[in-house]
Amino acid sequence: MEWETVIGLEIHTQLATQSKIFSGASTAYGAEPNTQACAVDLGLPGVLPVLNEETVRLAVIFGMAIEAHIAPYSVFARKNYFYPDLPKGYQISQMDHPIVGQGHLDIEVEGVTKRIGITRAHLEEDAGKSLHESFHGLTGIDLNRAGTPLLEIVSEPDMRSAKEAVAYMRKLYELVRYLGICDGNMQEGSFRCDANVSVRPKGQSTFGTRAEIKNINSFKFVEKAINHEVERQIELIENGGKVVQETRLYDSVKDETRSMRSKEEANDYRYFPDPDLLPVLIDEAFKAQIKAHLPELPQAKKLRFKTDYQLDEESATILTTSRPLADYFEATLKASQSEPRLCANWITGDLSAALNKAGLEITDSPISDERLAGLLKRISDNTISGKIAKQVFEVLWQSPATADEIIAEQGLKQITDTGAIEAIIDKIIADNQGQVEQYRSGKDKVFAFFVGQVMKEMKGKANPAEVNKLLKNKLQG
Amino acid sequence: MHTKSLTELAHGLRSGEFSSVELTQHFLKRIKQHQDLNAYITVTEETALQNAIVADARIANGQSTALTGIPIAQKDIFCTLDIKTSCGSKILDNFIAPYNATVVEKFNLAGAVLLGKLNMDEFAMGSSNETSYYGAVKNPWNINTVPGGSSGGSGAAVAARLAACATGTDTGGSIRQPAAHCGITGLKPTYGRVSRYGMIAYASSLDQGGPMARSAEDVAILLQTMAGFDPKDSTSVDLSVPDYSAGLNNPLAGLKIGLPKEFFSNDLNSDMAATLETAINEYRKLGAEVKEVSMPNLRLAIPAYYVIAPAECSANLSRFDGVRFGYRCENPVDLTDLYTRSRGEGFGKEVKRRILMGTYALSTGYYDAYYVKAQKIRRLISDDFKMALTEVDVIMGPVTPTPAFGIGEKIADPIEMYLSDIYTIAINLAGLPALSIPAGFINGLPVGLQIIGNYFSEDRLLNIAHQYQQVTDWHQHTPKGFE
């Protein structure tokens, strides 16, 4: 039987705010345990939550980016369960009235674009951490993370393969970083994924029973965990078994999922509106203000890069996945007044390769947009050839000098003086009569040999177009 | 000194008739003398005397407020920095609060002297002060009767003159009912008027702190300090605070008083009815018009309250888990054992009962039938009040069905106990302000009159109470042995 996989993802995005969602404590990562947990985060008797407005702003930015309905009225609710790292015995989340309603995100897999529905996105607080090591059979509780703002983004069950799930997760990851609402640090847990996975016979319209795989924190593991789970479910059904609704945990070391709790064991969270917090009211003015400051979204920017700059699909996509990269491109372009495709090629080519190799982000590039523009100017006005430009680029990467300084210092200026080139050509023709004969008898390939010889003699500084023209004339003699 | 009003005390302090240290020592002595009332859980003698020294210096510098140097006591539900804050529970018996509640902070800033922390029903759940881990409080009018609850320690302390004044909190009647039973004046402000920050939550959407003192004049002074927007409490209301003392002497001519027929049915005992009728006649004499109003949904208040309050408390009390503070059972074998025994041993019977009721009401399959329905009833009750308050300025009625009942009389029967709040609970559901003033005695026990006003009309309520207290002296009676 042929099987179809159905996947929906729940992604917890940590919002990039200075302070926590309901207290003034810092959200900075990595402090000594419990040094960034104030009375509110500790859930002391008598304390009350006060909503950090910045989290609302970031959630609305996200909602607008996925063209979602922004709820004019949303409500915080208490999700009740006991756990040592959940100080109040309930998590403040949103249930019936999330701040962001239905939206969507377009993904591309193997050249095909697919629209993935986003059911909702809601604000909630993170819990602390239980530390089981080095406490001699006891558990340590670190509440620094308690109260960190999260936006939980829930997709529709629209994905049909692990590849699609990864593409969606990546696209979402790029979007939240692009919008500046999440720092995207996956090692620190800023972007975490739970996957709902089920299988059904191809052609069947109803969904199979799903399992929820918790806590998969890298793109690689998402693909592996889903593929593993799909195999497990198919094998189970084909052997006459039944998938049970349950929560499973992915073990990246053993590359397997294992049962955490069944539906019967699941908590009854007893959600109810949190009486300590007022409903969040969002009016048109607030939305208009955010919209006015909303950055141009990747999709729109890509389209603009394609039409305004005549970039191809690939370059436009690469340049618009990150806002700093797109900004770098436009700044370089403006400063150099060069041909956009030339500019794009240098950034997506040599510069990106060098950054990758060094493990740097565009924001940390040793070559500023201005210095790269200096190089592109000299390529555009034929001061240097593309080949020499690569040489200059190497120096730009390592020293603070400008392209002009490097060209002058190393004498790399292209020779366009016809007389000088002609003299060299004459000498080479004289020295290589055999090849001249071959060329004249119709062996066009030999032409490249002459170009190479001239360039070698001139240390690459000759203008290639000029060399070609003059060589042709002389050889035809 | 203990018989003086707050205004008289402030005058005495400023004129040098007595110092704050002397006044404080006097009250501390009285507290010791009358320990058997069990009004205090903690007496903060050292803090009090330090506060008094600072207050005297402040008065000498001419920088005093109406409360500088005045000895007050806080209900033990308000967190007090470095001082045990038990909320009347074993589970917090070892809890030393690391911060001050906003209300406490405000009294500190005003220069008031903290005498100690007052006894109360455990987590404010009770109507007799008998659910306290620290034992029942005795009513100074008759030590065999209850002082009411949950602010029973506050009621008894003010009535017995063991503090110049006190704070209380009111979720279903917990300020008004003990005020009535102890013959003092107690105000439950509009929900959102006084900050709840640092006030240990029972039912967050109903809890409201307020003042308890002997007269409306004193209550006005206290409310002046307690009221106001607090950025730390999202449910506190950002509305300017009027001068509560300024309008106390406004005449009442033309005041429209509504008497809900549901409050004055045959269910009301005839002695109570007669006492209240006399009080209302005083208002007629002061120029008020009295008419009957109807609030048909009042009868639903108790059932709605006993869904909403336990539901909220079931979540509010989850933080008492033995993990970070408070009582922890000995030698827990695992996490479940830690939870079940810490909570099982730390909470009293009534608290457990309400946590169970609330957990049940919020459970899948019951939520709509209980919680959602109770919220609908709550809306209906609010609408009843709003409607009535378009016809009249204030609503008057009883505070309690009977005067103070005997210690041990109702504690075994929760329903009977719950019914003792039948006249006060609806007001919390509606979020309205209401106060209780002494209006007579039955068999030597005080009776309270309840005055309910529109949202944020505390100034008007205090004016109405004060005018009554100008023509009656019920509020000046002192229980025997405490003169």
Short mmCIF file of all heavy atoms in Angstrom, two decimals, chain B residues 145-178:
data_model
loop_
_atom_site.label_atom_id
_atom_site.label_comp_id
_atom_site.label_asym_id
_atom_site.label_seq_id
_atom_site.Cartn_x
_atom_site.Cartn_y
_atom_site.Cartn_z
N THR B 145 -18.23 33.88 71.05
CA THR B 145 -18.69 33.99 69.67
C THR B 145 -17.52 34.31 68.74
O THR B 145 -16.45 34.73 69.19
CB THR B 145 -19.77 35.09 69.50
OG1 THR B 145 -19.18 36.36 69.79
CG2 THR B 145 -20.95 34.85 70.41
N VAL B 146 -17.79 34.10 67.46
CA VAL B 146 -16.75 34.36 66.45
C VAL B 146 -16.72 35.86 66.13
O VAL B 146 -17.73 36.56 66.29
CB VAL B 146 -17.00 33.55 65.16
CG1 VAL B 146 -17.03 32.06 65.45
CG2 VAL B 146 -18.28 34.02 64.45
N PRO B 147 -15.57 36.35 65.65
CA PRO B 147 -15.50 37.75 65.24
C PRO B 147 -15.90 37.92 63.77
O PRO B 147 -15.88 39.03 63.26
CB PRO B 147 -14.01 38.06 65.41
CG PRO B 147 -13.33 36.77 65.11
CD PRO B 147 -14.26 35.67 65.54
N GLY B 148 -16.24 36.79 63.15
CA GLY B 148 -16.47 36.82 61.70
C GLY B 148 -15.15 36.56 60.99
O GLY B 148 -14.11 36.41 61.62
N GLY B 149 -15.23 36.50 59.66
CA GLY B 149 -14.01 36.21 58.91
C GLY B 149 -14.18 36.62 57.46
O GLY B 149 -15.27 37.04 57.06
N SER B 150 -13.17 36.61 56.72
CA SER B 150 -11.88 36.08 57.11
C SER B 150 -11.01 37.09 57.88
O SER B 150 -10.07 36.68 58.55
CB SER B 150 -11.11 35.64 55.87
OG SER B 150 -10.82 36.74 55.04
N SER B 151 -11.34 38.40 57.82
CA SER B 151 -10.51 39.37 58.53
C SER B 151 -10.93 39.44 60.00
O SER B 151 -11.20 40.53 60.54
CB SER B 151 -10.63 40.75 57.88
OG SER B 151 -10.47 40.67 56.48
N GLY B 152 -10.99 38.30 60.65
CA GLY B 152 -11.48 38.22 62.04
C GLY B 152 -10.52 38.90 63.02
O GLY B 152 -10.95 39.56 63.97
N GLY B 153 -9.22 38.71 62.79
CA GLY B 153 -8.23 39.34 63.65
C GLY B 153 -8.34 40.86 63.56
O GLY B 153 -8.23 41.57 64.57
N SER B 154 -8.57 41.37 62.36
CA SER B 154 -8.69 42.82 62.15
C SER B 154 -9.90 43.35 62.89
O SER B 154 -9.83 44.39 63.57
CB SER B 154 -8.82 43.13 60.65
OG SER B 154 -7.81 42.50 59.90
N GLY B 155 -11.04 42.64 62.75
CA GLY B 155 -12.27 43.08 63.41
C GLY B 155 -12.10 43.12 64.92
O GLY B 155 -12.42 44.11 65.58
N ALA B 156 -11.55 42.02 65.47
CA ALA B 156 -11.39 41.91 66.91
C ALA B 156 -10.38 42.95 67.43
O ALA B 156 -10.60 43.59 68.46
CB ALA B 156 -10.93 40.50 67.29
N ALA B 157 -9.27 43.13 66.71
CA ALA B 157 -8.21 44.05 67.16
C ALA B 157 -8.72 45.49 67.22
O ALA B 157 -8.43 46.22 68.17
CB ALA B 157 -6.99 43.95 66.25
N VAL B 158 -9.49 45.88 66.21
CA VAL B 158 -9.99 47.26 66.20
C VAL B 158 -11.06 47.43 67.29
O VAL B 158 -11.06 48.42 68.03
CB VAL B 158 -10.53 47.66 64.81
CG1 VAL B 158 -11.20 49.04 64.86
CG2 VAL B 158 -9.39 47.67 63.79
N ALA B 159 -11.96 46.44 67.40
CA ALA B 159 -13.03 46.53 68.41
C ALA B 159 -12.46 46.56 69.81
O ALA B 159 -12.94 47.31 70.67
CB ALA B 159 -13.99 45.35 68.24
N ALA B 160 -11.41 45.76 70.07
CA ALA B 160 -10.83 45.68 71.40
C ALA B 160 -9.77 46.76 71.63
O ALA B 160 -9.13 46.78 72.66
CB ALA B 160 -10.21 44.29 71.61
N ARG B 161 -9.59 47.63 70.66
CA ARG B 161 -8.61 48.73 70.73
C ARG B 161 -7.19 48.18 70.90
O ARG B 161 -6.41 48.66 71.71
CB ARG B 161 -8.92 49.70 71.88
CG ARG B 161 -10.38 50.10 72.06
CD ARG B 161 -10.94 50.78 70.83
NE ARG B 161 -12.22 51.42 71.14
CZ ARG B 161 -13.37 51.13 70.51
NH1 ARG B 161 -13.41 50.21 69.56
NH2 ARG B 161 -14.46 51.80 70.83
N LEU B 162 -6.88 47.12 70.13
CA LEU B 162 -5.53 46.58 70.15
C LEU B 162 -4.73 47.12 68.97
O LEU B 162 -3.59 46.70 68.72
CB LEU B 162 -5.56 45.05 70.09
CG LEU B 162 -6.43 44.34 71.14
CD1 LEU B 162 -6.27 42.82 71.04
CD2 LEU B 162 -6.09 44.81 72.55
N ALA B 163 -5.33 48.02 68.23
CA ALA B 163 -4.67 48.76 67.15
C ALA B 163 -5.56 49.96 66.89
O ALA B 163 -6.78 49.88 67.11
CB ALA B 163 -4.54 47.91 65.89
N ALA B 164 -4.96 51.04 66.42
CA ALA B 164 -5.78 52.22 66.13
C ALA B 164 -6.69 51.96 64.94
O ALA B 164 -7.78 52.50 64.84
CB ALA B 164 -4.89 53.42 65.88
N CYS B 165 -6.20 51.11 64.05
CA CYS B 165 -6.96 50.76 62.86
C CYS B 165 -6.28 49.57 62.22
O CYS B 165 -5.19 49.19 62.63
CB CYS B 165 -7.00 51.93 61.89
SG CYS B 165 -5.36 52.53 61.45
N ALA B 166 -6.91 49.00 61.18
CA ALA B 166 -6.35 47.80 60.57
C ALA B 166 -6.72 47.71 59.11
O ALA B 166 -7.58 48.43 58.63
CB ALA B 166 -6.85 46.56 61.32
N THR B 167 -6.01 46.80 58.43
CA THR B 167 -6.40 46.50 57.06
C THR B 167 -7.13 45.16 57.04
O THR B 167 -6.97 44.34 57.95
CB THR B 167 -5.16 46.36 56.14
OG1 THR B 167 -4.31 45.36 56.68
CG2 THR B 167 -4.41 47.68 56.05
N GLY B 168 -7.89 44.97 56.00
CA GLY B 168 -8.55 43.69 55.79
C GLY B 168 -8.60 43.42 54.31
O GLY B 168 -8.17 44.26 53.50
N THR B 169 -9.09 42.25 53.95
CA THR B 169 -9.36 42.00 52.53
C THR B 169 -10.73 41.36 52.44
O THR B 169 -11.19 40.72 53.40
CB THR B 169 -8.32 41.05 51.89
OG1 THR B 169 -8.38 39.77 52.57
CG2 THR B 169 -6.92 41.62 51.99
N ASP B 170 -11.38 41.56 51.30
CA ASP B 170 -12.77 41.15 51.17
C ASP B 170 -12.96 40.47 49.82
O ASP B 170 -12.82 41.10 48.78
CB ASP B 170 -13.64 42.42 51.28
CG ASP B 170 -15.12 42.11 51.45
OD1 ASP B 170 -15.62 41.22 50.73
OD2 ASP B 170 -15.78 42.78 52.28
N THR B 171 -13.24 39.17 49.84
CA THR B 171 -13.46 38.41 48.62
C THR B 171 -14.94 38.08 48.46
O THR B 171 -15.45 37.98 47.35
CB THR B 171 -12.60 37.12 48.64
OG1 THR B 171 -11.24 37.50 48.88
CG2 THR B 171 -12.69 36.36 47.33
N GLY B 172 -15.60 37.90 49.62
CA GLY B 172 -17.04 37.59 49.58
C GLY B 172 -17.75 38.23 50.77
O GLY B 172 -18.92 37.93 51.04
N GLY B 173 -17.03 39.08 51.50
CA GLY B 173 -17.61 39.70 52.69
C GLY B 173 -16.61 39.80 53.83
O GLY B 173 -16.95 40.21 54.94
N SER B 174 -15.37 39.44 53.56
CA SER B 174 -14.35 39.27 54.60
C SER B 174 -13.92 40.54 55.33
O SER B 174 -13.22 40.45 56.33
CB SER B 174 -13.12 38.58 54.02
OG SER B 174 -13.37 37.21 53.85
N ILE B 175 -14.30 41.72 54.85
CA ILE B 175 -14.11 42.94 55.64
C ILE B 175 -15.42 43.29 56.33
O ILE B 175 -15.48 43.57 57.53
CB ILE B 175 -13.67 44.13 54.73
CG1 ILE B 175 -12.22 43.96 54.30
CG2 ILE B 175 -13.87 45.47 55.47
CD1 ILE B 175 -11.72 45.02 53.34
N ARG B 176 -16.51 43.25 55.55
CA ARG B 176 -17.80 43.75 56.05
C ARG B 176 -18.39 42.87 57.15
O ARG B 176 -18.93 43.38 58.13
CB ARG B 176 -18.78 43.89 54.87
CG ARG B 176 -18.40 45.00 53.91
CD ARG B 176 -19.04 44.81 52.55
NE ARG B 176 -18.42 43.70 51.83
CZ ARG B 176 -18.99 43.05 50.84
NH1 ARG B 176 -20.22 43.34 50.46
NH2 ARG B 176 -18.35 42.07 50.24
N GLN B 177 -18.28 41.53 56.97
CA GLN B 177 -18.90 40.64 57.94
C GLN B 177 -18.21 40.73 59.31
O GLN B 177 -18.87 40.92 60.33
CB GLN B 177 -18.95 39.21 57.36
CG GLN B 177 -19.73 38.21 58.18
CD GLN B 177 -18.80 37.16 58.74
OE1 GLN B 177 -17.59 37.38 58.81
NE2 GLN B 177 -19.37 36.02 59.14
N PRO B 178 -16.86 40.67 59.38
CA PRO B 178 -16.23 40.87 60.70
C PRO B 178 -16.44 42.28 61.24
O PRO B 178 -16.54 42.46 62.47
CB PRO B 178 -14.75 40.57 60.46
CG PRO B 178 -14.57 40.43 59.01
CD PRO B 178 -15.89 40.21 58.38
#
